[in-house]
């Protein structure tokens, strides 16, 4: 419990800890703003089934099958098999499918195949996800191998160098298509539109498949296309939200998103992004749609995600101090002047309170977002960045007294520095990463934004992180009042490098390599700096490995050097250099160090991953049926919320 009496920590299972986040200041919103948040939240929750299906073609059927067994009154609950089924189901809910939300490997159940078959036999067939004419036996024959056989569709996203990344990935973006075929298909589309002044994000909102004649075609995700039932529900909620928009520009943004969902037209998506970037007056904002491409091994297809937010006015003072000086930061960047933006346009940054998380952002969520992704829109119209203050606050509260820092930081002076400045520096680095890092730099004319292919996401995250690391040590931040002194940044340098070299290994199963883009990025940066000089050192003390930073100024100089190279790779579209950098520094794991870190972390009895239970927004109506308030309920359990979402927002099964 915190001093306010709000309980941030909740249930724990497997390698996961559930947290709660508080809607600070929600009560001070106007009734119109509260209703807007509510309808946008409903639109966010109706996208859940899309994410499940995108993450694997069998996910929805497996979820429905297990939820039916879990809630059936005839199935005994007091057995070890049932308890293991419950853990597996909770993991499935958390990951939007049967693949680990971070590592992307398939997690295997602790219950037996025989138990599942016997439990399903007790359930009334009409409650099961049976297709027309399908028997229970056929259902189980299809799903059992997917659940239990580790060799069947083992990874959601495979990024192993040298393999066909499409055919070896279980994500549901391509059907009967190879990597080469997909790349040639989209290269052809780009070539036919090479003169377009407003390039389209080809492939962002479609499944690519072959028809009966072997011809490639896209199934577009829209109201009357693939995922149509879910999208129609989202549109209905957005139409209600448009009626209570805070201003005409905000209404235009919502109307454009509705038009995009109805047509699937990527030209409309571009216009929506431009208008969304330009809408700055409203206190309430949102992200809703097919956005981030990390779930696609080729970095083209957008996973569905949603977040509803409102401004944290006090914390926004920090982010605005950064965004208002965006041109200064760009001009003083250590990258080649050819790759800098001569004029930085429309960089806006706010600290926000999340009001609802959905799709790819739920239950595990980012702590900051920078959009839109299209480089040309960033260059011509700017970008929006958010830092999610109530989410970072929940993380910080949950970490208090964990013993993690004391286990992995040997130096008492550094421990004191991290205790005093660690949270402040973490927030500031996130601001710099999102507000400026992603929006910095420019592509050279003619460079394909997708030229780095499977390495593009890692390089982009490294670029933004390096930008933040370089500037967090700059005296400018002390001048702006964002850091109290010139020593505080050392806390960030230490924790970042320790994470990249050591502690993020707690998130990897023994024997695995690093595959997630953000983890690759952090390893790349830390290991590259370690390899280029003696500023970073891993030393042994009493049989334990610790990080020592011998030269903080020298470390910043290396960060500047690496930032310049990473920006060059991005600006020139140098695929081979990106591949070499990521494969050499960002992928491989030292098995001995890995075993040590896992053993030390296990003794702390902590969960390496955390996610969130959403607040329950409940409309209060008057005698005439009109909404007179929105009540925020924080008492819903994780299982109740997940089952309620499957019932109330299940549209695709």
């Amino acid at each position: 419990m915190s001093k306010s009496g709000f309980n941030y920590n909740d249930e724990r299972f497997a390698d996961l800890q559930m947290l709660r986040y508080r809607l600070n200041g929600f009560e001070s919103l106007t009734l119109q703003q509260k209703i807007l948040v509510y309808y946008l939240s409903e639109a966010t929750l109706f996208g859940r089934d899309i994410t499940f299906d995108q993450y694997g073609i069998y996910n929805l059927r497996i979820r429905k099958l297990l939820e039916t067994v879990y809630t059936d009154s005839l199935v005994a609950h007091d057995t070890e098999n049932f308890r293991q089924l419950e853990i597996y189901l909770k993991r499935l809910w958390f990951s939007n499918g049967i693949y680990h939300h971070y590592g992307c490997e398939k997690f295997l159940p602790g219950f037996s195949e025989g138990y599942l078959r016997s439990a399903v036999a007790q359930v009334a067939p009409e409650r099961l996800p049976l297709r027309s004419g399908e028997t229970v036996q056929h259902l189980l024959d299809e799903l059992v191998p997917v659940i239990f056989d580790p060799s069947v569709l083992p990874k959601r996203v495979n990024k192993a160098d040298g393999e066909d990344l499409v055919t070896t990935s279980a994500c549901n973006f391509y059907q009967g298509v190879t990597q080469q075929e997909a790349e040639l298909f989209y290269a052809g589309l780009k070539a036919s539109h090479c003169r377009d002044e407003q390039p389209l994000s080809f492939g962002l909102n479609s499944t690519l498949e072959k028809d009966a004649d072997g011809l490639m075609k896209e199934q577009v995700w829209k109201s009357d296309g693939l995922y149509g039932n879910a999208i129609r529900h989202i549109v209905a909620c957005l139409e209600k939200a448009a009626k209570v928009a805070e201003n005409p520009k905000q209404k235009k943004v919502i109307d454009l998103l509705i038009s995009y969902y109805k047509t699937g037209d990527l030209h409309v998506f571009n216009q929506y992004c431009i208008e969304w970037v330009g809408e700055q007056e409203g206190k309430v904002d949102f992200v809703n749609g097919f956005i981030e491409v990390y779930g696609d091994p080729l970095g083209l297809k957008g996973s569905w995600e949603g977040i509803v937010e409102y401004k944290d006015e006090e914390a926004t003072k920090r982010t605005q101090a950064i965004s208002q000086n965006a041109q200064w930061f760009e001009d003083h960047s250590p990258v080649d002047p050819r790759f800098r933006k001569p004029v930085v346009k429309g960089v806006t940054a706010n600290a926000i309170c999340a009001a609802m998380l959905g799709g790819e952002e739920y239950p595990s969520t980012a702590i900051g977002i920078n959009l839109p992704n299209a480089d040309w829109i960033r260059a011509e119209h700017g970008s929006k960045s958010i830092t999610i203050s109530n989410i970072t606050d929940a993380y910080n509260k949950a970490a208090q007294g964990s013993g993690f820092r004391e286990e992995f930081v040997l130096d008492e002076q550094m421990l004191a520095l991290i205790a005093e400045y660690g949270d402040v520096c973490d927030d500031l680095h996130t601001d710099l990463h999102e507000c400026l890092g992603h929006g910095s730099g420019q592509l050279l004319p003619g460079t394909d934004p997708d030229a780095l292919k499977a390495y593009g996401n890692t390089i982009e995250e490294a670029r933004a992180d390096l930008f933040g690391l370089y500037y967090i040590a700059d005296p400018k931040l002390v001048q702006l009042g964002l850091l109290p002194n010139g020593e505080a940044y050392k806390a960030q340098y230490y924790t970042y490098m320790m994470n990249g070299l050591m502690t993020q290994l707690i998130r990897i199963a023994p024997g695995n390599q690093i595959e997630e883009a953000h983890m690759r990025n952090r390893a790349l940066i830390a290991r590259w700096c370690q390899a280029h000089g003696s500023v970073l050192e891993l030393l042994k003390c009493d049989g334990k490995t610790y990080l020592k930073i011998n030269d903080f100024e020298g470390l910043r100089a290396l960060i500047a050097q690496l930032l310049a190279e990473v920006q060059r790779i991005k600006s020139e579209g140098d695929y081979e250099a990106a591949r070499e950098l990521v494969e050499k520094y960002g992928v491989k794991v030292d098995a001995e160090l890995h075993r040590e870190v896992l053993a030390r972390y296990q003794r702390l009895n902590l969960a390496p991953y955390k996610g969130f239970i959403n607040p329950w927004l409940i409309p209060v109506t008057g005698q005439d049926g009109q909404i007179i308030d929105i009540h925020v309920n924080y008492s819903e359990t994780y299982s109740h919320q997940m089952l309620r979402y499957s019932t109330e927002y299940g549209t695709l099964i």
Side-chain angles (χ1 to χ4, degrees):
M1 299 287 285
S2 69
K3 292 180 180 179
S4 66
F6 183 80
N7 188 9
Y8 287 89
N9 291 280
D10 205 87
E11 175 179 3
R12 178 177 170 179
F13 53 92
D15 56 355
L16 303 166
Q17 172 76 52
M18 301 308 301
L19 306 176
R20 297 183 187 273
Y21 60 98
R22 190 175 183 86
L23 272 57
N24 303 312
F26 183 81
E27 65 281 353
S28 66
L29 298 180
T30 67
L31 177 59
Q32 180 183 350
Q33 289 168 335
K34 289 179 180 179
I35 296 173
L36 176 61
V37 167
Y38 171 72
Y39 285 134
L40 291 173
S41 296
E42 290 291 284
T44 295
L45 296 176
F46 270 117
R48 179 173 181 250
D49 275 8
I50 299 176
T51 307
F52 265 88
D53 193 71
Q54 290 179 321
Y55 280 12
I57 195 170
Y58 299 102
N59 282 337
L60 286 170
R61 301 235 298 160
I62 293 173
R63 188 189 79 192
K64 177 65 174 177
L65 174 71
L66 297 182
E67 286 176 346
T68 302
V69 172
Y70 182 64
T71 58
D72 195 274
S73 60
L74 296 179
V75 177
H77 288 199
D78 58 347
T79 68
E80 181 59 24
N81 269 313
F82 182 86
R83 284 186 283 272
Q84 290 299 322
L85 182 143
E86 181 178 35
I87 292 172
Y88 183 86
L89 179 57
K90 287 179 177 179
R91 296 185 72 186
L92 180 149
W93 285 331
F94 191 96
S95 297
N96 293 298
I98 62 174
Y99 301 93
H100 196 282
H101 75 288
Y102 214 78
C104 291
E105 69 274 7
K106 184 166 70 174
F107 46 83
L108 297 175
F111 57 92
S112 69
E113 175 184 336
Y115 168 75
L116 180 60
R117 288 184 180 274
S118 64
V120 170
Q122 300 177 63
V123 175
E126 59 269 19
R127 296 191 62 215
L128 296 171
L130 297 174
R131 299 190 179 104
S132 178
E134 185 179 34
T135 67
V136 175
Q137 184 65 42
H138 288 148
L139 171 70
L140 290 173
D141 288 346
E142 178 181 58
L143 299 185
V144 162
V146 181
I147 297 171
F148 290 95
D149 189 338
S151 67
V152 175
L153 302 173
K155 299 204 68 174
R156 177 168 65 87
V157 183
N158 180 30
K159 294 186 178 180
D161 188 35
E163 297 185 14
D164 186 312
L165 303 185
V166 169
T167 59
T168 59
S169 294
C171 55
N172 191 18
F173 295 126
Y174 306 92
Q175 293 296 327
V177 176
T178 67
Q179 178 179 349
Q180 183 181 37
E181 288 171 332
E183 289 176 344
L184 286 173
F185 178 84
Y186 287 112
L189 284 180
K190 290 177 182 178
S192 64
H193 292 77
C194 62
R195 298 184 182 276
D196 288 359
E197 295 183 1
Q198 297 188 353
L200 302 180
S201 301
F202 288 112
L204 183 70
N205 65 333
S206 65
T207 299
L208 183 63
E209 60 183 33
K210 284 182 183 176
D211 64 17
D213 298 321
L215 299 176
M216 309 281 280
K217 65 176 183 178
E218 289 185 302
Q219 291 283 354
V220 178
W221 309 328
K222 56 179 180 173
S223 292
D224 60 352
L226 203 57
Y227 301 138
N229 194 36
I231 292 173
R232 288 191 294 273
H233 280 81
I234 294 170
V235 166
C237 297
L238 291 174
E239 288 172 341
K240 294 177 181 178
K243 294 177 181 178
V244 290
E246 297 176 83
N247 57 67
K249 195 169 183 66
Q250 189 181 68
K251 183 180 184 303
K252 183 177 182 180
V253 169
I254 298 173
D255 287 340
L256 279 168
L257 180 57
I258 291 170
S259 178
Y260 167 58
Y261 272 136
K262 288 182 176 180
T263 64
D265 188 339
L266 290 170
H267 294 91
V268 178
F269 180 69
N270 280 345
Q271 293 307 306
Y272 158 73
C273 290
I274 292 168
E275 293 295 331
W276 178 80
V277 166
E279 200 291 292
Q280 301 292 335
E281 298 175 11
K283 183 165 185 172
V284 177
D285 205 350
F286 69 102
V287 173
N288 185 296
F290 309 107
I291 308 295
E292 299 293 357
V293 296
Y294 294 89
D296 175 10
L298 302 187
L300 298 173
K301 308 291 180 183
S303 299
W304 194 94
E305 68 177 58
I307 182 170
V308 185
E309 70 212 42
Y310 55 93
K311 289 179 185 175
D312 180 337
E313 302 290 356
E314 184 60 33
T316 291
K317 295 176 182 177
R318 180 187 73 231
T319 56
Q320 288 183 344
I322 293 172
S323 62
Q324 288 167 1
N325 287 273
Q327 190 66 59
W328 184 92
F329 287 103
E330 185 77 3
D331 292 344
H332 291 80
S333 171
V335 308
D336 188 313
R338 293 180 301 145
F339 308 142
R340 298 181 198 150
K341 287 180 178 174
V343 179
V344 178
K345 297 180 181 179
V347 174
T348 60
N350 294 303
I352 60 95
C353 282
M356 191 62 62
L357 307 171
E360 190 169 63
E361 293 295 334
Y362 168 81
S364 177
T365 185
I367 58 175
I369 296 172
N370 178 274
L371 291 172
N373 290 323
D375 287 288
W376 73 269
I377 296 180
R378 292 174 182 273
E380 295 182 20
H381 302 278
S383 62
K384 267 187 191 177
S385 300
I386 60 170
T387 301
I388 312 177
S389 61
N390 57 338
I391 294 296
T392 56
D393 184 53
Y395 277 130
N396 293 339
K397 294 287 195 309
Q400 291 176 358
S402 69
F404 176 82
R405 291 172 179 171
E406 290 76 8
E407 173 60 36
F408 288 99
V409 181
L410 180 62
D411 183 77
E412 293 293 332
Q413 185 176 356
M414 180 54 65
L415 267 174
L417 199 70
I418 294 170
E420 186 168 3
Y421 302 121
D423 290 349
V424 172
C425 285
D426 281 345
D427 289 345
L428 188 54
H429 183 256
T430 300
D431 292 340
L432 291 165
H433 173 112
E434 299 294 350
C435 303
L436 301 180
H438 281 307
S440 67
Q442 63 179 355
L443 301 181
L444 292 184
T447 298
D448 182 354
D450 300 316
L452 304 184
K453 302 179 181 178
Y455 299 102
N457 292 332
T458 298
I459 291 297
E460 177 57 24
E461 292 302 326
R463 193 176 71 90
D465 260 2
L466 287 162
F467 195 97
L469 288 169
Y470 177 75
Y471 276 116
I472 201 169
D474 199 289
K476 181 74 170 180
L477 298 189
V478 179
Q479 296 171 17
L480 292 173
L482 299 173
L483 284 180
N485 55 58
E487 292 290 299
Y489 81 91
K490 294 179 179 179
Q492 182 66 20
Y493 271 24
Y494 192 93
T495 55
Y496 188 96
M497 296 299 162
M498 180 179 72
N499 191 29
L501 291 172
M502 293 176 53
T503 54
Q504 73 169 0
L505 295 176
I506 64 175
R507 296 184 163 192
I508 300 175
N512 287 357
Q513 301 297 310
I514 304 173
E515 296 208 38
E516 199 277 333
H518 296 81
M519 292 182 71
R520 283 186 167 190
N521 137 55
R522 291 188 287 265
L524 186 162
I525 292 171
R527 292 170 177 176
W528 188 94
C529 290
Q530 182 190 26
H532 288 74
S534 58
V535 299
L536 297 181
E537 179 183 358
L538 289 179
L539 54 85
K540 287 278 190 178
C541 182
D542 296 329
K544 295 180 179 180
T545 305
Y546 297 93
L547 169 67
K548 182 182 179 183
I549 299 181
N550 297 313
D551 182 357
F552 282 92
E553 292 183 3
L555 179 55
R556 190 187 185 216
L558 286 177
I559 288 168
Q561 184 180 340
L562 183 56
L563 173 57
E565 172 60 6
V566 168
Q567 182 63 62
R568 182 200 68 78
I569 290 171
K570 170 86 172 182
S571 295
E572 295 180 349
D574 190 341
Y575 171 81
E576 287 302 327
R579 177 181 176 275
E580 181 179 357
L581 196 62
V582 174
E583 292 294 336
K584 184 174 182 178
Y585 297 106
V587 177
K588 297 178 179 62
V589 173
D590 182 315
E592 182 179 350
L593 178 62
H594 192 194
R595 283 192 295 270
E596 177 199 326
V597 170
L598 287 174
R600 292 166 68 182
Y601 191 79
Q602 186 176 21
R603 288 193 289 270
L604 296 174
N605 193 32
L606 300 174
Y609 302 99
K610 294 174 174 61
F612 292 90
I613 300 172
N614 278 328
W616 190 352
L617 301 184
I618 304 171
V620 180
T621 56
Q623 292 182 348
D624 59 356
Q626 297 297 309
I627 297 177
I628 59 174
D629 199 7
I630 302 295
H631 174 66
V632 183
N633 184 311
Y634 297 107
S635 66
E636 189 172 28
T637 67
Y638 175 63
S639 294
H640 185 276
Q641 181 161 106
M642 290 298 186
L643 290 170
R644 180 171 67 86
Y645 283 3
S646 293
T647 300
E648 296 182 5
Y649 304 101
T651 57
L652 299 180
I653 190 168

